[in-house]
Amino acid sequence: MEIMTYQEKYKNQIVDLILDIQNNEAKINLSLDEQPDLKDITSCYEYDGGEFWIAVDDGVVIGTLALMNKGNGNAVLKKAFVRADHRKKGVLSKLYNELLAFANSKDIHTIIFDTPSVATNCHHFFEKRGYRRIAKDELPFEYHYPDRDSYVYMINR
């Protein structure tokens, strides 16, 4: 397995992985149109000082994680997905370590993310790393997301 930053040649695999997990596993019925960031990953993440990482195993995308830089030391963690047959094998940990190193290099200290209430494994992963669940009115900056019975988490590092 290799962790790398976004490459256009993997775009279709990335979109397919994310939509499959969101809609077939989590049953949240989230369309690609509701996620414009997936249509133009480079513009939505890299141009604004963020990044999008993928885990690739034998040419197949098995995981994703992204950071959207919102300025002033704030960012949104997005697209934390790992293919079912690769979960609990350290894939998300490796992706998250890349994200942390990047956040440190950009002096990002507040990270938030939204996640469906049904994504309990995701909740546990990030809670173990110091994230705490917050109410939407506690968001430290403006952030809009397609709410599908979502929880919001935050960490100040």
Side-chain angles (χ1 to χ4, degrees):
M1 178 190 65
E2 182 180 358
I3 304 294
M4 62 184 76
T5 55
Y6 174 73
Q7 294 181 24
E8 186 72 22
K9 70 180 181 178
Y10 292 111
K11 182 177 184 176
N12 290 338
Q13 287 190 52
I14 291 165
V15 170
D16 290 347
L17 172 74
I18 291 171
L19 290 176
D20 180 61
I21 293 170
Q22 288 173 330
N23 299 318
N24 296 326
E25 286 186 40
K27 308 282 189 228
I28 59 173
N29 300 317
L30 195 58
S31 72
L32 181 58
D33 288 336
E34 293 175 280
Q35 304 175 81
D37 57 319
L38 286 178
K39 291 182 176 184
D40 192 354
I41 291 170
T42 301
S43 292
C44 289
Y45 293 96
E46 296 171 354
Y47 289 166
D48 289 333
E51 192 57 83
F52 195 106
W53 296 271
I54 55 177
V56 178
D57 191 24
D58 289 329
V60 176
V61 175
I62 60 168
T64 64
L65 188 63
L67 193 69
M68 190 176 278
N69 192 336
K70 296 302 221 175
N72 299 317
N74 300 308
V76 179
L77 185 151
K78 304 206 35 108
K79 308 304 181 198
F81 294 98
V82 176
R83 210 169 86 173
D85 59 347
H86 284 76
R87 292 183 192 142
K88 300 192 185 228
K89 296 182 179 180
V91 176
L92 189 54
S93 291
K94 289 178 181 172
L95 287 162
Y96 186 65
N97 288 340
E98 291 290 324
L99 181 144
L100 284 180
F102 181 85
N104 287 337
S105 75
K106 298 288 185 180
D107 198 29
I108 293 171
H109 49 81
T110 300
I111 301 173
I112 63 164
F113 74 97
D114 64 283
T115 180
S117 61
V118 298
T120 56
N121 287 340
C122 184
H123 306 163
H124 295 302
F125 178 89
F126 288 103
E127 287 167 353
K128 287 190 330 190
R129 284 151 183 84
Y131 287 78
R132 66 179 178 85
R133 195 168 140 194
I134 63 169
K136 293 173 192 173
D137 63 359
E138 293 179 79
L139 285 167
F141 53 89
E142 189 172 336
Y143 172 60
H144 301 284
Y145 56 93
D147 187 353
R148 295 291 198 278
D149 190 26
S150 296
Y151 295 156
V152 179
Y153 283 82
M154 181 174 77
I155 192 169
N156 288 308
R157 309 174 322 108

